[in-house]
Amino acid sequence: MGERDAGTVKMVLPGRPEFLLVARLATSGVGLRADLTVDDIEDLKVAVAEACTNVINHAFDDSVKAADRVIKLRMSVGNGEMTVEVEDEGRGFDPKELERSKRNGLDGKGGLGFGLMQELTDTFRVESAPGSGTRVIMVKRATR
Amino acid sequence: MQEGETVRIQTRDVDDRTAVCRVAGELDAYTAPELRDALVALVELGKIWVVADLTELTYLDSTGLGILVGTAKQCRQAGGDLSVACARRNLLKIFQISGTQEILNVVADVEAATARLGELCEAHSADSGEEAT
């Protein structure tokens, strides 16, 4: 659970809430190597945890076995920025639904989470399609 | 905080209808249910004026935020309200981005939160023609 080469960290976490802390700790550790400030890291920790929480809460149908509900994290550093990819092999969704979900905010399925991810990172992109899983790509640039 | 523990929640009564819920540590989808249970219990006991003391909280995301907003709604429906005490910059940013600073009555410390609830209680009593407590 932690393969590393050439400034890239890859992890596979069980899709369970008790592992959110692990995702945040990894973000902090890798963020320091990207020369992010404490505030940058705090922002990114929330964004990464929101992406992971969405996987836990929304990505998988009840029929999917617990062991198969995993979160793939890829964190890389370079050029004064850190890139994080959060990927699942769940049910996926039409990215067009994203704007409606964000407008619904606290009442929407993961809507506030997506809003926070967008606001707390410099680049935010979602790749998804029904039945094809989801990948969230976020970039945070060092502000120092 | 004990090893392995990421959140600690303590509640104390101020009076028959007011309580302070102190939350220390990190509040995420794993730990937030503990806060939800504590706040639900307070409201069920008639504590409809609630101070959420987050001055020792170091991490908050949308899950914890949702619980605070839900509790504020419950308190208001019962004739009370909720005020958040928080001065940590990274948490204030979450309240600001989510647009919840006003509906959660976010102020810097417990003293200010208690005072804020007092103001709201007086205003509520004046609106309903009752004597403020």
Side-chain angles (χ1 to χ4, degrees), chain B residues 68-128:
Chain B
L68 291 170
V69 170
T71 304
K73 284 181 183 172
Q74 278 186 307
C75 289
R76 278 187 207 116
Q77 284 166 0
D81 213 325
L82 175 141
S83 178
V84 167
C86 175
R88 198 175 287 267
R89 196 168 55 210
N90 60 310
L91 270 58
L92 291 174
K93 191 171 185 179
I94 302 300
F95 291 120
Q96 182 207 340
I97 290 172
S98 60
T100 53
Q101 270 179 315
E102 284 190 22
I103 58 171
L104 291 176
N105 298 297
V106 179
V107 293
D109 54 34
V110 172
E111 189 178 9
T114 306
R116 175 71 181 139
L117 290 184
E119 292 167 7
L120 292 166
C121 184
E122 280 189 25
H124 184 266
S125 299
D127 286 346
S128 59

Short mmCIF file of all heavy atoms in Angstrom, two decimals, chain B residues 68-128:
data_model
loop_
_atom_site.label_atom_id
_atom_site.label_comp_id
_atom_site.label_asym_id
_atom_site.label_seq_id
_atom_site.Cartn_x
_atom_site.Cartn_y
_atom_site.Cartn_z
N LEU B 68 -23.57 20.41 11.30
CA LEU B 68 -23.79 21.69 11.98
C LEU B 68 -25.00 22.42 11.40
O LEU B 68 -25.83 22.96 12.14
CB LEU B 68 -22.54 22.57 11.86
CG LEU B 68 -21.30 22.09 12.63
CD1 LEU B 68 -20.08 22.89 12.22
CD2 LEU B 68 -21.53 22.19 14.13
N VAL B 69 -25.11 22.41 10.07
CA VAL B 69 -26.25 23.09 9.44
C VAL B 69 -27.56 22.38 9.81
O VAL B 69 -28.57 23.02 10.12
CB VAL B 69 -26.07 23.15 7.90
CG1 VAL B 69 -27.35 23.60 7.22
CG2 VAL B 69 -24.92 24.09 7.55
N GLY B 70 -27.54 21.06 9.81
CA GLY B 70 -28.72 20.29 10.18
C GLY B 70 -29.16 20.58 11.61
O GLY B 70 -30.35 20.73 11.90
N THR B 71 -28.19 20.67 12.49
CA THR B 71 -28.50 20.96 13.90
C THR B 71 -29.04 22.37 14.05
O THR B 71 -29.99 22.61 14.82
CB THR B 71 -27.25 20.78 14.78
OG1 THR B 71 -26.73 19.47 14.59
CG2 THR B 71 -27.57 21.00 16.25
N ALA B 72 -28.46 23.32 13.32
CA ALA B 72 -28.96 24.70 13.39
C ALA B 72 -30.43 24.75 12.95
O ALA B 72 -31.25 25.43 13.57
CB ALA B 72 -28.11 25.61 12.50
N LYS B 73 -30.76 23.99 11.90
CA LYS B 73 -32.16 23.94 11.45
C LYS B 73 -33.07 23.36 12.52
O LYS B 73 -34.16 23.89 12.78
CB LYS B 73 -32.27 23.09 10.17
CG LYS B 73 -31.78 23.78 8.92
CD LYS B 73 -31.96 22.85 7.71
CE LYS B 73 -31.42 23.49 6.45
NZ LYS B 73 -31.40 22.54 5.31
N GLN B 74 -32.61 22.28 13.15
CA GLN B 74 -33.41 21.64 14.21
C GLN B 74 -33.64 22.61 15.37
O GLN B 74 -34.75 22.71 15.90
CB GLN B 74 -32.68 20.41 14.75
CG GLN B 74 -32.86 19.16 13.93
CD GLN B 74 -32.22 17.97 14.64
OE1 GLN B 74 -31.05 18.03 15.02
NE2 GLN B 74 -32.97 16.91 14.82
N CYS B 75 -32.57 23.30 15.75
CA CYS B 75 -32.68 24.26 16.86
C CYS B 75 -33.69 25.35 16.50
O CYS B 75 -34.53 25.73 17.33
CB CYS B 75 -31.33 24.89 17.16
SG CYS B 75 -30.15 23.77 17.94
N ARG B 76 -33.60 25.86 15.27
CA ARG B 76 -34.51 26.95 14.86
C ARG B 76 -35.96 26.47 14.83
O ARG B 76 -36.86 27.19 15.25
CB ARG B 76 -34.10 27.48 13.48
CG ARG B 76 -32.97 28.45 13.59
CD ARG B 76 -32.65 29.14 12.27
NE ARG B 76 -31.25 29.51 12.32
CZ ARG B 76 -30.32 29.03 11.52
NH1 ARG B 76 -30.62 28.19 10.56
NH2 ARG B 76 -29.07 29.40 11.66
N GLN B 77 -36.15 25.25 14.33
CA GLN B 77 -37.52 24.71 14.30
C GLN B 77 -38.11 24.60 15.70
O GLN B 77 -39.32 24.71 15.89
CB GLN B 77 -37.53 23.34 13.62
CG GLN B 77 -37.40 23.44 12.10
CD GLN B 77 -37.07 22.10 11.45
OE1 GLN B 77 -36.93 21.08 12.14
NE2 GLN B 77 -36.94 22.10 10.14
N ALA B 78 -37.23 24.42 16.69
CA ALA B 78 -37.69 24.29 18.08
C ALA B 78 -37.72 25.64 18.79
O ALA B 78 -37.98 25.70 20.00
CB ALA B 78 -36.79 23.30 18.82
N GLY B 79 -37.39 26.70 18.07
CA GLY B 79 -37.42 28.04 18.66
C GLY B 79 -36.10 28.52 19.19
O GLY B 79 -36.02 29.57 19.85
N GLY B 80 -35.03 27.79 18.94
CA GLY B 80 -33.70 28.19 19.39
C GLY B 80 -32.77 28.51 18.23
O GLY B 80 -33.23 28.90 17.16
N ASP B 81 -31.47 28.32 18.44
CA ASP B 81 -30.50 28.55 17.36
C ASP B 81 -29.15 27.96 17.76
O ASP B 81 -28.98 27.49 18.90
CB ASP B 81 -30.36 30.04 17.05
CG ASP B 81 -30.08 30.28 15.55
OD1 ASP B 81 -29.38 29.46 14.95
OD2 ASP B 81 -30.58 31.28 15.02
N LEU B 82 -28.22 28.01 16.83
CA LEU B 82 -26.87 27.48 17.07
C LEU B 82 -25.86 28.55 16.68
O LEU B 82 -26.07 29.29 15.72
CB LEU B 82 -26.65 26.21 16.24
CG LEU B 82 -25.26 25.57 16.27
CD1 LEU B 82 -25.38 24.03 16.30
CD2 LEU B 82 -24.44 25.97 15.05
N SER B 83 -24.77 28.64 17.45
CA SER B 83 -23.69 29.55 17.10
C SER B 83 -22.36 28.79 17.19
O SER B 83 -22.13 28.04 18.14
CB SER B 83 -23.67 30.76 18.05
OG SER B 83 -22.60 31.62 17.74
N VAL B 84 -21.53 28.98 16.19
CA VAL B 84 -20.23 28.30 16.12
C VAL B 84 -19.14 29.24 16.63
O VAL B 84 -19.06 30.39 16.19
CB VAL B 84 -19.91 27.88 14.68
CG1 VAL B 84 -18.46 27.45 14.53
CG2 VAL B 84 -20.84 26.76 14.22
N ALA B 85 -18.31 28.73 17.54
CA ALA B 85 -17.13 29.46 17.99
C ALA B 85 -15.90 28.89 17.28
O ALA B 85 -15.58 27.71 17.45
CB ALA B 85 -16.97 29.34 19.50
N CYS B 86 -15.24 29.71 16.48
CA CYS B 86 -14.12 29.21 15.70
C CYS B 86 -13.25 30.38 15.23
O CYS B 86 -13.78 31.37 14.72
CB CYS B 86 -14.63 28.45 14.47
SG CYS B 86 -13.32 27.92 13.36
N ALA B 87 -11.94 30.26 15.43
CA ALA B 87 -11.05 31.33 14.98
C ALA B 87 -9.94 30.80 14.08
O ALA B 87 -9.08 31.55 13.64
CB ALA B 87 -10.45 32.04 16.18
N ARG B 88 -9.95 29.49 13.82
CA ARG B 88 -8.86 28.90 13.04
C ARG B 88 -9.06 29.22 11.55
O ARG B 88 -10.13 29.00 11.00
CB ARG B 88 -8.84 27.38 13.27
CG ARG B 88 -7.55 26.71 12.88
CD ARG B 88 -7.60 25.26 13.27
NE ARG B 88 -7.49 25.07 14.70
CZ ARG B 88 -6.35 24.86 15.35
NH1 ARG B 88 -5.22 24.79 14.67
NH2 ARG B 88 -6.33 24.69 16.65
N ARG B 89 -7.98 29.72 10.93
CA ARG B 89 -8.09 30.25 9.57
C ARG B 89 -8.57 29.22 8.55
O ARG B 89 -9.42 29.50 7.71
CB ARG B 89 -6.72 30.81 9.16
CG ARG B 89 -6.79 31.72 7.95
CD ARG B 89 -5.49 32.45 7.78
NE ARG B 89 -4.37 31.54 7.70
CZ ARG B 89 -3.13 31.81 8.10
NH1 ARG B 89 -2.87 32.98 8.64
NH2 ARG B 89 -2.15 30.93 7.98
N ASN B 90 -8.02 28.00 8.64
CA ASN B 90 -8.39 27.00 7.62
C ASN B 90 -9.86 26.59 7.74
O ASN B 90 -10.52 26.29 6.74
CB ASN B 90 -7.48 25.77 7.68
CG ASN B 90 -7.52 25.04 9.00
OD1 ASN B 90 -7.39 25.66 10.06
ND2 ASN B 90 -7.69 23.74 8.97
N LEU B 91 -10.39 26.62 8.96
CA LEU B 91 -11.82 26.28 9.14
C LEU B 91 -12.71 27.44 8.70
O LEU B 91 -13.76 27.22 8.07
CB LEU B 91 -12.11 25.92 10.60
CG LEU B 91 -11.96 24.44 10.97
CD1 LEU B 91 -10.57 23.91 10.68
CD2 LEU B 91 -12.32 24.22 12.43
N LEU B 92 -12.29 28.66 9.02
CA LEU B 92 -13.09 29.82 8.62
C LEU B 92 -13.22 29.88 7.09
O LEU B 92 -14.25 30.30 6.56
CB LEU B 92 -12.46 31.12 9.15
CG LEU B 92 -12.51 31.30 10.66
CD1 LEU B 92 -11.74 32.55 11.09
CD2 LEU B 92 -13.96 31.40 11.15
N LYS B 93 -12.17 29.43 6.41
CA LYS B 93 -12.21 29.40 4.95
C LYS B 93 -13.31 28.45 4.45
O LYS B 93 -14.00 28.74 3.48
CB LYS B 93 -10.84 28.95 4.42
CG LYS B 93 -10.64 29.13 2.94
CD LYS B 93 -9.18 28.87 2.59
CE LYS B 93 -8.91 29.15 1.13
NZ LYS B 93 -7.49 28.93 0.79
N ILE B 94 -13.48 27.33 5.15
CA ILE B 94 -14.53 26.37 4.77
C ILE B 94 -15.91 26.99 4.96
O ILE B 94 -16.80 26.86 4.10
CB ILE B 94 -14.40 25.07 5.60
CG1 ILE B 94 -13.02 24.42 5.42
CG2 ILE B 94 -15.52 24.09 5.25
CD1 ILE B 94 -12.70 24.03 4.02
N PHE B 95 -16.10 27.69 6.09
CA PHE B 95 -17.40 28.36 6.32
C PHE B 95 -17.65 29.41 5.24
O PHE B 95 -18.76 29.55 4.74
CB PHE B 95 -17.43 29.02 7.71
CG PHE B 95 -17.44 28.04 8.85
CD1 PHE B 95 -16.43 28.05 9.81
CD2 PHE B 95 -18.47 27.12 9.00
CE1 PHE B 95 -16.44 27.15 10.86
CE2 PHE B 95 -18.49 26.22 10.05
CZ PHE B 95 -17.46 26.23 10.98
N GLN B 96 -16.58 30.14 4.90
CA GLN B 96 -16.73 31.22 3.93
C GLN B 96 -17.08 30.67 2.54
O GLN B 96 -18.03 31.13 1.90
CB GLN B 96 -15.43 32.02 3.88
CG GLN B 96 -15.48 33.21 2.94
CD GLN B 96 -14.11 33.58 2.40
OE1 GLN B 96 -13.09 33.21 2.98
NE2 GLN B 96 -14.09 34.30 1.31
N ILE B 97 -16.32 29.67 2.09
CA ILE B 97 -16.54 29.10 0.76
C ILE B 97 -17.94 28.51 0.65
O ILE B 97 -18.62 28.64 -0.38
CB ILE B 97 -15.49 28.02 0.44
CG1 ILE B 97 -14.11 28.65 0.25
CG2 ILE B 97 -15.87 27.21 -0.79
CD1 ILE B 97 -12.99 27.64 0.13
N SER B 98 -18.38 27.85 1.71
CA SER B 98 -19.68 27.18 1.68
C SER B 98 -20.84 28.14 1.92
O SER B 98 -22.00 27.76 1.81
CB SER B 98 -19.72 26.06 2.71
OG SER B 98 -19.50 26.58 4.02
N GLY B 99 -20.50 29.39 2.27
CA GLY B 99 -21.55 30.38 2.50
C GLY B 99 -22.37 30.10 3.76
O GLY B 99 -23.56 30.43 3.81
N THR B 100 -21.74 29.49 4.76
CA THR B 100 -22.48 29.11 5.97
C THR B 100 -22.12 29.98 7.18
O THR B 100 -22.60 29.71 8.29
CB THR B 100 -22.22 27.64 6.33
OG1 THR B 100 -20.81 27.42 6.40
CG2 THR B 100 -22.82 26.71 5.30
N GLN B 101 -21.29 31.00 6.99
CA GLN B 101 -20.87 31.82 8.13
C GLN B 101 -22.06 32.45 8.85
O GLN B 101 -22.10 32.48 10.08
CB GLN B 101 -19.92 32.93 7.66
CG GLN B 101 -18.46 32.51 7.68
CD GLN B 101 -17.55 33.61 7.19
OE1 GLN B 101 -17.83 34.24 6.18
NE2 GLN B 101 -16.45 33.82 7.90
N GLU B 102 -23.00 32.96 8.06
CA GLU B 102 -24.13 33.66 8.69
C GLU B 102 -25.15 32.70 9.28
O GLU B 102 -25.60 32.89 10.40
CB GLU B 102 -24.81 34.58 7.67
CG GLU B 102 -24.00 35.85 7.43
CD GLU B 102 -24.78 36.88 6.63
OE1 GLU B 102 -26.02 36.81 6.61
OE2 GLU B 102 -24.14 37.74 6.03
N ILE B 103 -25.49 31.66 8.53
CA ILE B 103 -26.54 30.76 9.04
C ILE B 103 -26.05 29.96 10.25
O ILE B 103 -26.86 29.50 11.04
CB ILE B 103 -27.09 29.80 7.96
CG1 ILE B 103 -25.98 28.93 7.37
CG2 ILE B 103 -27.83 30.54 6.88
CD1 ILE B 103 -26.53 27.83 6.47
N LEU B 104 -24.71 29.85 10.40
CA LEU B 104 -24.19 29.16 11.58
C LEU B 104 -23.72 30.15 12.65
O LEU B 104 -23.17 29.74 13.67
CB LEU B 104 -23.02 28.24 11.18
CG LEU B 104 -23.42 27.02 10.33
CD1 LEU B 104 -22.17 26.24 9.91
CD2 LEU B 104 -24.36 26.10 11.10
N ASN B 105 -23.95 31.44 12.43
CA ASN B 105 -23.58 32.46 13.43
C ASN B 105 -22.13 32.26 13.91
O ASN B 105 -21.87 32.11 15.09
CB ASN B 105 -24.53 32.40 14.63
CG ASN B 105 -25.96 32.70 14.24
OD1 ASN B 105 -26.28 33.79 13.80
ND2 ASN B 105 -26.83 31.70 14.37
N VAL B 106 -21.20 32.23 12.96
CA VAL B 106 -19.80 31.94 13.29
C VAL B 106 -19.14 33.17 13.92
O VAL B 106 -19.14 34.26 13.34
CB VAL B 106 -19.00 31.51 12.04
CG1 VAL B 106 -17.54 31.23 12.40
CG2 VAL B 106 -19.63 30.28 11.40
N VAL B 107 -18.62 32.98 15.13
CA VAL B 107 -17.89 34.04 15.83
C VAL B 107 -16.59 33.45 16.39
O VAL B 107 -16.35 32.24 16.27
CB VAL B 107 -18.74 34.64 16.98
CG1 VAL B 107 -19.94 35.40 16.42
CG2 VAL B 107 -19.19 33.56 17.94
N ALA B 108 -15.76 34.30 17.00
CA ALA B 108 -14.39 33.87 17.30
C ALA B 108 -14.26 32.94 18.50
O ALA B 108 -13.38 32.08 18.53
CB ALA B 108 -13.50 35.09 17.51
N ASP B 109 -15.09 33.12 19.53
CA ASP B 109 -14.89 32.30 20.74
C ASP B 109 -16.23 31.99 21.42
O ASP B 109 -17.29 32.49 21.01
CB ASP B 109 -13.93 32.99 21.71
CG ASP B 109 -14.35 34.41 22.05
OD1 ASP B 109 -15.57 34.65 22.13
OD2 ASP B 109 -13.46 35.26 22.23
N VAL B 110 -16.16 31.19 22.46
CA VAL B 110 -17.37 30.72 23.14
C VAL B 110 -18.13 31.89 23.78
O VAL B 110 -19.37 31.94 23.76
CB VAL B 110 -17.01 29.66 24.21
CG1 VAL B 110 -18.24 29.31 25.06
CG2 VAL B 110 -16.48 28.41 23.53
N GLU B 111 -17.38 32.84 24.33
CA GLU B 111 -18.01 34.00 24.97
C GLU B 111 -18.86 34.77 23.93
O GLU B 111 -20.02 35.12 24.19
CB GLU B 111 -16.94 34.91 25.55
CG GLU B 111 -17.49 36.01 26.42
CD GLU B 111 -16.38 36.87 27.03
OE1 GLU B 111 -15.20 36.72 26.64
OE2 GLU B 111 -16.70 37.70 27.89
N ALA B 112 -18.28 34.99 22.77
CA ALA B 112 -19.00 35.71 21.72
C ALA B 112 -20.18 34.89 21.20
O ALA B 112 -21.25 35.44 20.88
CB ALA B 112 -18.05 36.05 20.57
N ALA B 113 -20.01 33.57 21.14
CA ALA B 113 -21.11 32.70 20.66
C ALA B 113 -22.27 32.73 21.66
O ALA B 113 -23.44 32.79 21.25
CB ALA B 113 -20.60 31.28 20.47
N THR B 114 -21.94 32.69 22.94
CA THR B 114 -22.98 32.75 23.98
C THR B 114 -23.72 34.08 23.90
O THR B 114 -24.96 34.13 24.00
CB THR B 114 -22.36 32.54 25.37
OG1 THR B 114 -21.59 31.33 25.36
CG2 THR B 114 -23.43 32.44 26.44
N ALA B 115 -22.96 35.15 23.71
CA ALA B 115 -23.58 36.48 23.59
C ALA B 115 -24.46 36.55 22.36
O ALA B 115 -25.56 37.12 22.40
CB ALA B 115 -22.49 37.55 23.52
N ARG B 116 -24.00 35.94 21.26
CA ARG B 116 -24.78 35.93 20.02
C ARG B 116 -26.12 35.21 20.23
O ARG B 116 -27.17 35.68 19.80
CB ARG B 116 -23.97 35.25 18.91
CG ARG B 116 -24.71 35.07 17.59
CD ARG B 116 -24.90 36.38 16.88
NE ARG B 116 -25.62 36.22 15.64
CZ ARG B 116 -26.58 37.05 15.21
NH1 ARG B 116 -26.91 38.11 15.92
NH2 ARG B 116 -27.18 36.84 14.07
N LEU B 117 -26.06 34.07 20.92
CA LEU B 117 -27.31 33.34 21.18
C LEU B 117 -28.23 34.15 22.09
O LEU B 117 -29.45 34.12 21.93
CB LEU B 117 -27.00 31.98 21.82
CG LEU B 117 -26.34 30.93 20.92
CD1 LEU B 117 -26.18 29.61 21.67
CD2 LEU B 117 -27.14 30.71 19.64
N GLY B 118 -27.64 34.90 23.03
CA GLY B 118 -28.45 35.76 23.90
C GLY B 118 -29.20 36.80 23.09
O GLY B 118 -30.40 37.05 23.32
N GLU B 119 -28.51 37.40 22.12
CA GLU B 119 -29.15 38.39 21.25
C GLU B 119 -30.30 37.76 20.46
O GLU B 119 -31.38 38.33 20.34
CB GLU B 119 -28.14 38.96 20.25
CG GLU B 119 -27.03 39.81 20.86
CD GLU B 119 -25.90 40.05 19.86
OE1 GLU B 119 -26.04 39.68 18.68
OE2 GLU B 119 -24.87 40.59 20.29
N LEU B 120 -30.01 36.58 19.90
CA LEU B 120 -31.03 35.91 19.10
C LEU B 120 -32.23 35.51 19.95
O LEU B 120 -33.38 35.59 19.52
CB LEU B 120 -30.43 34.67 18.42
CG LEU B 120 -29.39 34.96 17.33
CD1 LEU B 120 -28.60 33.70 16.98
CD2 LEU B 120 -30.08 35.52 16.09
N CYS B 121 -31.95 35.10 21.19
CA CYS B 121 -33.02 34.70 22.11
C CYS B 121 -33.91 35.91 22.44
O CYS B 121 -35.14 35.80 22.43
CB CYS B 121 -32.42 34.11 23.38
SG CYS B 121 -33.65 33.49 24.54
N GLU B 122 -33.27 37.03 22.68
CA GLU B 122 -34.03 38.26 22.97
C GLU B 122 -34.89 38.66 21.78
O GLU B 122 -36.05 39.02 21.93
CB GLU B 122 -33.08 39.40 23.34
CG GLU B 122 -32.61 39.33 24.79
CD GLU B 122 -31.85 40.59 25.18
OE1 GLU B 122 -32.09 41.65 24.55
OE2 GLU B 122 -31.02 40.50 26.09
N ALA B 123 -34.28 38.61 20.60
CA ALA B 123 -35.02 38.97 19.39
C ALA B 123 -36.19 38.02 19.17
O ALA B 123 -37.30 38.44 18.81
CB ALA B 123 -34.08 38.93 18.18
N HIS B 124 -35.94 36.74 19.41
CA HIS B 124 -36.98 35.73 19.24
C HIS B 124 -38.12 35.97 20.22
O HIS B 124 -39.30 35.90 19.86
CB HIS B 124 -36.38 34.34 19.48
CG HIS B 124 -37.33 33.21 19.23
ND1 HIS B 124 -38.08 32.64 20.22
CD2 HIS B 124 -37.66 32.57 18.08
CE1 HIS B 124 -38.83 31.67 19.71
NE2 HIS B 124 -38.59 31.61 18.41
N SER B 125 -37.77 36.29 21.48
CA SER B 125 -38.78 36.53 22.50
C SER B 125 -39.59 37.78 22.17
O SER B 125 -40.81 37.81 22.37
CB SER B 125 -38.12 36.68 23.87
OG SER B 125 -37.44 35.51 24.21
N ALA B 126 -38.89 38.81 21.67
CA ALA B 126 -39.58 40.05 21.32
C ALA B 126 -40.57 39.80 20.18
O ALA B 126 -41.70 40.28 20.20
CB ALA B 126 -38.57 41.11 20.90
N ASP B 127 -40.12 38.98 19.20
CA ASP B 127 -41.00 38.67 18.06
C ASP B 127 -42.25 37.92 18.50
O ASP B 127 -43.33 38.12 17.98
CB ASP B 127 -40.25 37.82 17.02
CG ASP B 127 -39.25 38.66 16.25
OD1 ASP B 127 -39.35 39.90 16.33
OD2 ASP B 127 -38.37 38.08 15.59
N SER B 128 -42.04 37.01 19.47
CA SER B 128 -43.18 36.19 19.87
C SER B 128 -43.93 36.78 21.06
O SER B 128 -44.86 36.17 21.58
CB SER B 128 -42.70 34.77 20.22
OG SER B 128 -41.75 34.83 21.27
#
